[in-house]
């Protein structure tokens, strides 16, 4: 093992949402035809997850539309998503990981996927990478009933590629790679987007240059890839060889921070309804700013049409804000000032606070009414505390009862899905 080599486990909770829904019903995910989707959103809603059984026997993938699922499948269950339950299960899985490693050696990549650096734990317990992984896998299965896929590699990329490309296809969902496996198992991979780090857009650009398999990238001139793609070209070149110098312990700390809220609307909204959505999102963004002790000097507003087109504009504030009123007033005014056809239909609204400063270090000006600012801040903090402690509905604006407002609807959601 060279100095940069580690023992990394990439662990994915198999068909996580669907498995949790099966287990909550006392059913086996490997014998139950179940998909997770919100029927109340119509047949065009996205299937968030499908059980291993329905994926294998009926070839129903996750992320398809509900209308694409054969409704004649015997015993088909369409389960409404329960995001709070999934978060609870995810937290329990992370707690199990911490029985085997220190927190600094764990990176939670998503709600159902994590990386564990077990390099310094194997000798302590007299384990091989595979035996240590099997202990963790068995513990998750015994305590929670969840089946996991695990890839073992010398670095983060190798572990992830091993999991995605080989482990997910094995009977026991466990595989291990080292550098000797790269030419045989990684280089033949095509299309390129099957490799972690290459999206469909980058794949198209690579295809246009004659790259169709990972082996094509590995055999290329690194300098040529850098000239075409910059730092991304260098990254995919080294990844194609199985190299990755990223370390879990070296946590990324962004130089700039931002806060965002947004919504994909569940029906076509007219121009006169968008101001209510902007008001709702302004309250939510202000609550987040207050909770984190931040103020915003600049906020970007994104508006999306039904046809997936859209536009954005900026809100600039001379004095940083953490109150919903000035955010909503300026956003609505600028939105309504834009000349547009009345028949336009809207489907997305987003607010992003991009220039965020600490509320405690902010230097005020001579032209501010500090007493007025203090009273307003006290009011907003009181409302936020009520919403946080007793529920959003206990301190909602009157506009939440208006047609087109999504305030009440969003209170019952996490990440845009049912709690």
């Amino acid at each position: 093992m060279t100095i940069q080599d580690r023992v990394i486990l990439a662990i994915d909770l198999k068909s996580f949402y669907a498995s949790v829904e099966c287990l909550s019903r006392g059913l086996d995910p490997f014998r139950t035809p179940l998909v997770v989707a919100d029927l109340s959103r119509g047949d065009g809603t996205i299937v968030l997850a499908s059980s291993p059984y329905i994926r294998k026997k009926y070839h129903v993938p996750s992320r398809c539309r509900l209308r694409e699922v054969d409704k004649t499948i015997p015993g088909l269950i369409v389960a409404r998503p329960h995001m709070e339950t999934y978060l609870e299960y995810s937290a329990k899985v992370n707690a199990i990981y911490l029985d085997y490693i220190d927190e600094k050696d764990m990176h939670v990549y998503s709600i159902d996927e994590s990386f564990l650096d077990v390099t310094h734990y194997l000798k302590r317990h007299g384990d091989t990478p595979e035996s240590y992984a099997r202990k963790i896998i068995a513990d998750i299965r015994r305590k929670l009933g969840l089946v996991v896929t695990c890839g073992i590699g010398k670095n983060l990329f190798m572990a992830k590629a091993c999991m995605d490309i080989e482990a997910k296809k094995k009977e026991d969902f466990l595989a291990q790679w080292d550098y000797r496996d790269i030419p045989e198992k990684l280089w033949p991979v095509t299309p390129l987007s099957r490799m972690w780090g290459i999206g469909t857009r980058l794949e198209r650009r690579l295809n246009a240059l004659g790259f169709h398999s990972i082996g094509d990238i590995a055999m290329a001139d690194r300098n040529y890839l850098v000239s075409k793609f910059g730092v991304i070209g260098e990254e995919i070149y080294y990844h194609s060889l199985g190299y990755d110098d990223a370390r879990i312990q070296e946590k990324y700390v962004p130089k700039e921070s931002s806060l965002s809220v947004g919504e994909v609307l569940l029906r076509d909204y007219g121009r006169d309804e968008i101001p209510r959505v902007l008001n709702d999102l302004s309250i939510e963004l202000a609550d987040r700013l207050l909770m984190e002790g931040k103020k915003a000097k600049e906020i970007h507003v994104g508006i999306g049409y039904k046809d997936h087109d859209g536009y954005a504009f900026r809100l600039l504030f001379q004095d940083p804000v953490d109150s919903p009123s000035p955010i909503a007033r300026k956003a609505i005014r600028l939105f309504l000032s834009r000349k547009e056809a009345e028949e336009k239909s809207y489907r997305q609204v987003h607010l992003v606070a991009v220039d965020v400063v600490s509320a405690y270090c902010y230097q005020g000006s001579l032209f501010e009414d500090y007493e007025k600012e203090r009273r307003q801040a006290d009011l907003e903090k009181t409302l936020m505390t009520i919403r946080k402690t007793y529920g959003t509905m206990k301190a909602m604006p009157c506009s939440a009862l208006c047609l087109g407002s999504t305030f009440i609807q969003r209170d019952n959601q996490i990440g845009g899905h049912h709690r």
Side-chain angles (χ1 to χ4, degrees), residues 318-358:
Q318 183 175 356
D319 300 316
V321 296
D322 58 4
S323 173
S325 300
I327 299 173
R329 277 199 306 269
K330 183 167 282 194
I332 293 169
R333 178 169 56 81
L334 290 178
F335 169 75
L336 294 176
S337 68
R338 183 183 174 96
K339 301 298 181 185
E340 288 192 297
E342 289 296 328
E343 66 272 12
K344 277 286 188 183
S345 295
Y346 301 86
R347 275 302 185 98
Q348 292 188 48
V349 183
H350 293 86
L351 301 183
V352 184
V354 294
D355 191 354
V356 177
V357 298
S358 171

Side-chain angles (χ1 to χ4, degrees), residues 58 275 386:
Y58 296 100
I386 292 171

Side-chain angles (χ1 to χ4, degrees), residues 3 17 20 33 37 108 168 185 233 275 378 380:
I3 190 168
Y17 295 174
V20 171
V108 179
K168 288 183 177 181
K185 297 179 178 179
D378 288 345
E380 298 296 347

Side-chain angles (χ1 to χ4, degrees), residues 37-52:
D38 192 344
L39 276 170
S40 67
R41 298 187 176 186
D43 230 23
T45 191
I46 290 177
V47 171
L48 298 178
S50 51
S51 67

